[in-house]
Amino acid sequence: MKYIKKILCLVITLMITALMSSCSVQSKMSEPQPEPVNLSQPQPREREKRIGDIFVSPIGNDSNNGTRENPVKTVEKAVELAEKLNKKEKVISFAKGEYSVSSIALTGKNNGTVFYGEEEDVIFNGGATLNPSDFETYKDNIKMLDLKKYGVTQEQIGNVRAFGAYNTAEKYGEEGSLYCELFCDGERMTLARYPNAGEENLTTGKIIDNGDSKEIYTSSGTQQNPDWEDMKNPRGGTFAVDEALANRIKGWQRSDDIWLFGYFQYDWADSATPLASFNENSITTKYASVYGFKEDMPFYFFNVFEELDTAGEWYIDRDKLILYFIPPEDFENKSLQLSLETENLIILDDAENITFDGITFCGTRAGAIKGTGSNITIENCTVKNVGESAIEIEGNKILVENNTITATGKAGVILTGGDRESLISSENIVTNNLIYDWSQVYQTYQAAVAIHGVGGVCSHNEIYNSPHEAITYSGNNNIIEYNVIHDVVLKSSDAGAIYSGRSWNQYGNIVRYNCIYDIGSDGFEPSGIYFDDALSGQEAYGNLLVNIPGCAFLLGGGRDLQIKNNVIVNAGTPISYDDRAIAGIEDGGWFAHAKTPNEGLWATLKEFDINSTAWKEAYPQLSALSDDFDNTDDPDFAANPANSIVENNVIMNKKKNIGSIAKRVKKYSCVQNNNLYTFEHSPYIDSDYGKDISMNGFSALPTDKMGRTYY
């Protein structure tokens, strides 16, 4: 299993090796430094024992009354029986085994229900478990299976659909749930593609026709297309291909359902599109790209039967319902699962006091648990092999604790709650979870944890292995703390492991005591903590950032930021603090949209009543902000990077520098008392991060508390 921990913890030492003379592949960095160790090591925790009211077993019968001696068989029947109980808490207890689940809706009549797995491997499966012995040999190393033997229908298989955070399928009326997928031993298999996964992608050739797009590129700069939002069936793009690729495409017989996936303009904007047409020197996409097309951007073809040529690849003939698969070694002893359910396995509809404890959710083309509710607890569960996000709930007092989340198509956990008008806290908590290998289909802006609203907490999670961001948040008074994050943002440069951005009203958020290390990959240089596009009112302290190829902190021109007492080791740029908002107003350029009063960032100052009692007490500096464009030199002019403090940080890098601080930042804010070292002269050589080192007000980091604490 992939969740063998990369960091095996607990000796509280970060050995800093002497600086090597050669540079690493990541050009901005020196040789990578050793990983942080002696982070928190999770310890076993005894689960709460619950007394069942209704009992369910795979060998039960729905004509039974649901006692332990006479259990029912299905989740649906158990829920029905629990509804009739006149109790504040109704415990449905599940014996070990697999339960076939079609989407289950929980409403007010289900309040107080607890779904309790008595043993390990209580599985709610929305898909079909396939028997390797049912496969026949098609030819060579390709196996085939007639899915009709399993009662699988064309509707359950689904058509190939667009995916990617920036896909444009809705403009063609062709949006929908993801198609079914194949999993082997918990790993997502690859729909037959060219080039193969792990090989170098193709790249777009000369752009012949950009098609329709949201952005229009002219000699004078980038402009917004005023017709884009209302546009239907926009033109796709056309770009050149070489003769070898054109000839290869000619050999694909099912050309009416061949797809492309790529990053057609930016490495943070992924999308899929059907192939519309091709000739001897170019291809045309059916769907437009939101930001248009650019030469030399990566893409690949998928759903190509003729490219079924390597272990782990599969293809379904949707007319005949035949699954073709090149299995990995020892295929006969592996588990196989096909995701089929088109809806979320659990749908919450204003439900309250619902608990899931010790359940595994899998096998859906959608997500595991989604909806609205309050006092919802999800603990000791596993979510895997789902097409969309694992858990997505809007409400208050939601606890997501001690779960394992892996192999999702989209995000991990998304919680939204609280009241921003009154700044009443959601009391939502995501803590002590192991989240890895998520965002496997949608490649950008699908966080392991996303906290939105007021007063959410994301703490003590271990998060790794994803193409894009790990944690994102928006709103006010949220806390991101004690998380360990590594090997993320593997396929993007303009992104951060912890990310939020573009607002002048999202004050009060705190990012503290997180360990972020070894992010990015060859060719990609992302940032560690990224406060994008003038995000203001944030506080970040006590974070440990090691081997960050881009910026350890990327501060995008915001104000009222506090960046204190962080340790930065081996970052391409330790701290980058620019002045993009005021520069856009005074100097133009790509942030010139900040010139427009009452729109964009300026609108965020009027989104809520910042002069109300609640807001004025919480953030008095907000009510003092000016929007007087005739006096842009005023420190209180909102676009100025003013009133920030960058101090008492410890920075170790090749150049012994802090990074890049804009002149306007130095003018309006305070950058002082930062401790700069080369590796040879670092006080941390042969020292512990736990050691009490006193210098310029710096306090040692609580590394032994970072990461999961129990399981």
Side-chain angles (χ1 to χ4, degrees), residues 338-390:
L338 200 65
S339 60
L340 297 175
E341 176 58 49
T342 60
E343 301 292 337
N344 299 284
L345 295 182
I346 303 293
I347 298 176
L348 302 172
D349 184 4
D350 290 335
E352 297 181 7
N353 300 304
I354 303 292
T355 296
F356 299 94
D357 182 353
I359 309 294
T360 292
F361 300 89
C362 62
T364 174
R365 291 158 51 187
I369 301 172
K370 185 174 182 178
T372 58
S374 60
N375 289 288
I376 307 296
T377 297
I378 303 166
E379 60 183 351
N380 310 314
C381 292
T382 296
V383 179
K384 63 181 182 179
N385 305 355
V386 300
E388 296 184 357
S389 300

Side-chain angles (χ1 to χ4, degrees), residues 15-51:
M15 299 294 296
I16 306 299
T17 60
L19 180 64
M20 301 294 184
S21 58
S22 61
C23 294
S24 71
V25 175
Q26 296 161 330
S27 59
K28 292 185 180 180
M29 300 177 67
S30 64
E31 287 294 325
Q33 303 306 303
E35 299 170 0
V37 293
N38 271 341
L39 303 170
S40 175
Q41 182 176 14
Q43 300 296 318
R45 183 186 69 164
E46 187 175 352
R47 283 179 63 199
E48 177 184 353
K49 300 294 184 182
R50 301 181 187 271
I51 300 174

Side-chain angles (χ1 to χ4, degrees), residues 123-135:
I123 302 169
F124 287 10
N125 190 353
T129 297
L130 309 178
N131 190 336
S133 65
D134 288 339
F135 282 77

Side-chain angles (χ1 to χ4, degrees), residues 308-492:
L308 184 64
D309 61 0
T310 191
E313 286 192 335
W314 61 279
Y315 178 89
I316 290 180
D317 183 324
R318 284 168 166 75
D319 296 325
K320 298 179 180 179
L321 290 176
I322 302 295
L323 167 64
Y324 299 91
F325 180 42
I326 300 181
E329 293 182 2
D330 197 25
F331 165 58
E332 295 78 9
N333 297 313
K334 296 182 182 294
S335 65
L336 280 177
Q337 187 179 97
L338 200 65
S339 60
L340 297 175
E341 176 58 49
T342 60
E343 301 292 337
N344 299 284
L345 295 182
I346 303 293
I347 298 176
L348 302 172
D349 184 4
D350 290 335
E352 297 181 7
N353 300 304
I354 303 292
T355 296
F356 299 94
D357 182 353
I359 309 294
T360 292
F361 300 89
C362 62
T364 174
R365 291 158 51 187
I369 301 172
K370 185 174 182 178
T372 58
S374 60
N375 289 288
I376 307 296
T377 297
I378 303 166
E379 60 183 351
N380 310 314
C381 292
T382 296
V383 179
K384 63 181 182 179
N385 305 355
V386 300
E388 296 184 357
S389 300
I391 299 166
E392 185 173 358
I393 306 175
E394 181 176 352
N396 299 318
K397 297 183 178 179
I398 301 163
L399 175 63
V400 180
E401 180 179 21
N402 199 36
N403 304 286
T404 296
I405 295 172
T406 185
T408 72
K410 297 177 84 172
V413 181
I414 306 172
L415 299 186
T416 303
D419 182 80
R420 293 193 66 199
E421 191 74 46
S422 62
L423 295 178
I424 293 176
S425 175
S426 66
E427 300 182 47
N428 291 338
I429 299 174
V430 182
T431 188
N432 214 80
N433 301 283
L434 175 63
I435 307 176
Y436 65 99
D437 291 349
W438 78 97
S439 189
Q440 291 187 324
V441 179
Y442 290 70
Q443 297 279 291
T444 62
Y445 295 103
Q446 307 298 325
V449 181
I451 297 290
H452 304 298
V454 183
V457 175
C458 172
S459 68
H460 292 287
N461 301 287
E462 182 185 350
I463 299 171
Y464 65 91
N465 201 21
S466 183
H468 208 248
E469 63 192 11
I471 297 173
T472 189
Y473 65 89
S474 66
N476 303 89
N477 303 343
N478 299 297
I479 298 176
I480 313 297
E481 63 181 3
Y482 296 106
N483 301 285
V484 169
I485 302 167
H486 62 91
D487 296 283
V488 299
V489 205
L490 297 175
K491 295 184 180 180
S492 184

